[in-house]
Amino acid sequence: MPIKTEEMVLNMGPQHPSTHGVLRLELKLEGELILDVKPHIGYLHRCFEKHCEAMTYPQVVPYTDRMDYLASMSNNFGYAVAVERLMGIQVNERVEYIRVIMAELQRIASHMVALGTYGVDIGAFTPFLFLFADRERILTLFEETCGARLLYNYMWVGGLSHDIHPDFVRKTKDFVQYFRPKIDELNNLLSYNKIFVERTANIGILPADVAINYGITGPILRASGVKWDLRKNDPYSIYDRFDFDIPVGEGLKGTVGDCWDRYYVRVLEMVESLKIIEQAIDNIPEGDVQEAVPKRVKPPKGSIYARFENPKGELGYFIISDGSVNPFRVKVRAPSFVNMEVFGELCKGHFVADVISILGSMDVVLGEIDR
Amino acid sequence: MYNFLIDIFGSPVIAFFVAAALPLFLFILPYALIAVLAERKVSAHMQDRLGPMRTGYHGIFQTVADILKLIQKEDITANSIDRTLFNFAPYLVFIGSFAAFAVLPFSSFFVGSSIDIGLFYFLAISSLVVAGILMGGWSSNNKYSLLGAMRSVSQIISYEIPTAIVVLTMVMLTSTLNLDTITNQQTAYFWNWNILGGAATGIAKFLLIPLMFAAFIIIFISTLAEVNRTPFDIPEAESELVSGFFTEYTGMKFAMFFLAEYANMLAVSFLITVLFFGGYHSPFGYLGNSLGIEWLVPIEQGVWFATKGLTFVLVQMWLRWTLPRLRVDQLMTVCWKYLIPYSVAILLLVGFITLI
Amino acid sequence: MTPEETLEILKNKFPDSEFTYDNELPVDAYIIVNPKDLLDVCFFLRDEENLQFDTLMNLSGVDDNNATKVKDEEGNEKLEGRTLSVYYHLHSMKFDHKFYLKVSLPIEKPEVESVESVWKCADWHEREAYDMFGIIFLNHPNLIRILLPYDWEDGSYPLRKDFETPEFYNGMKIPY
């Protein structure tokens, strides 16, 4: 006699320790095997795009902080550059250099959170705290510069809110010196750990063609073996002056595009970011960081789609201006929003525990998905 | 010990209750308090933190405060649970892990119960935990709890097999099930410990040493899995199943599960100590013997036993804060494809060696 | 390949269709496509040998709010001609060129073919445009609300310019 079995629907989230925020996953299970995953988003929707239409252009900057709250600098950066392009403002060299240094520090900080929380998802708690302790150093640098630790409102249209303080250069160099060996420590503790590799290698494989069709960007796309980085392929600001590599997934421990590759690409990207910071930190020219800040931000009629390489992927700002002081429409192409679409596809046929592995390796931030 | 208590109280009934309650209040409750704190301190120092610092000197009263808090907590029972099973489960788990201590020889003066089927009893009574966990998970009427309980039960039952086979190996070597006798076979110095071939002599001893090391590693791994510790803490994998089978429990019932987990850790550590590391015997001889103070010897033995047991508990904590967690199928692979064949091979080899 | 060259290729390929080159300076230029040809154009853009727009960077709904006052026969003033637009930002990973499309839909009947079958990532973007603007994407596999709650009032689309905050939501007073 066959035993009667039935599918079980498990609601993972919105309150769950490892959905990285208020994401709800509707899992259809057969035992522990995943038959189908439906992500439900929108629990953190804060009407960013509607707000923008009522704000003036500079007032939007603090709102961009709150999208990907782990990479606020990069969000500011993108918005500022987009509006500057729309208005045809040219900022001076000092601003460009400081912006790049801040964005790269922010990239390291964001990847630290991604890698640390991924460790927690897999069950290793210690690397998480090691990485967070190191992240504190970056946050302290930011705090000393602009007074905020998470939501900076630092990069304004046409300039910066504060100049860097005199100690900043030395402290940043110290940090770079300090952090390089820490990456090896992380690799020894977590990346090459046998159990960690068993849990992540060959899990959630994302082939390159699927990734491109789904519009996946950032570390996830690179982990699938596509050498694509907007800092190189469509350079903005002064990224074309620096010498750095684009790490891609090579399938060292499993197949190209698996969770381990996605993890490891981030580790390698931290090294590349350190390289950029090292090249930039000594060459900051003198100048006034608020030189080009316009009295009244009033772009001409027109529209722009500008995209930037955020820690999570391609952040796009689509801004339509009707010639007034308020944007007519701001649409944000949030990297996590697009990356999350492929999640259901990746999970099919895996176990419940793998859902966590895959979600962790995507490194989504719900503030950005829901905006 | 029991006779000593009869002498004091003059009544076998009172003596019986005192003998039964003494280890609980003297050892296991203080141990649980210390172990919970130790876990937090160990993890904190491994992670470059300080851990609890506010309650008392370096936070030594943190667990006491936690227990007080847990006692005050409201005992929440949801509507749709199976109330009887739900209420009974924590007690069953607690009984299972606590009753296992009854047969452990703490020192030559204080052997809880020197029964001849001690090892058998230990394995059997600690299986009660399985029933308790399944009850708790099922009656909670929560999908996470149920998944956690199912995982836990399949894991514990699977890992009991390599444990039992290693125990069987030791029974073959020592030809007894009585834990006290096993301890006393490993008396005198540390080269008589079973991990170094026990009381065997000549070529057999040298052949036994590698096998005993292998057997020790197997039983350490499998007992680690039985008490649901990282890297085998899949049943309560907090990143997947929230808290596994005790997700729905609050207050003291939760504390009982918690306490049972720590009691279990210690129980299996003691079992390993008895089987492989000479039980309560000192590796170097006794201060009491050399000074001629006889009453010092049992105390020293108690200290040695506790030290050895707690060392393994510390190793378990150390592992927990270092390693990530396995997946369910990988866990089963470790058990069925590696541990069981190896333990069977060791059983056979030890059998041959004891024949010659 | 510049947008102008792409436009020439398109014009040759689809002689019956209309393409308007909208060079909205200062920055980006758009090709306005007839909504009924959109799907064919998109498939063509993706599969053509030397175009290969394999990625949809962004899909954005916009309320153009461009109604003009007209007088009907009886002399009453009426607003007419308001359109909702959908912007498609295409990009080719292989050749590294971009192309921006735009379709304009009358607000009375904002319907356009879904491009989900061309680029998978259009799925959620289209749901979002539906959610916020009420643009109906025909043949979309799962056109339901995405960011707003599932019980959000039907026919209420927050990013339209004439949206007014409702007084009650599920019996709760909104501006408290």
Side-chain angles (χ1 to χ4, degrees), chain B residues 305-355:
Chain B
F305 194 60
T307 314
K308 289 174 189 172
L310 291 176
T311 310
F312 289 115
V313 173
L314 276 179
V315 174
Q316 287 178 349
M317 289 176 183
W318 171 24
L319 285 176
R320 168 159 184 185
W321 296 107
T322 311
L323 294 176
R325 174 187 311 126
L326 283 166
R327 207 172 56 212
V328 184
D329 56 325
Q330 291 162 347
L331 176 96
M332 290 300 163
T333 312
V334 170
C335 178
W336 292 97
K337 286 194 180 160
Y338 299 100
L339 293 186
I340 292 182
Y342 289 146
S343 56
V344 171
I346 291 169
L347 177 73
L348 287 176
L349 288 171
V350 172
F352 280 124
I353 292 168
T354 41
L355 269 183

Side-chain angles (χ1 to χ4, degrees), chain C residues 121-132:
Chain C
C121 67
D123 184 350
W124 282 18
H125 280 304
E126 286 180 349
R127 275 174 70 187
E128 192 190 330
Y130 164 74
D131 205 357
M132 296 296 172

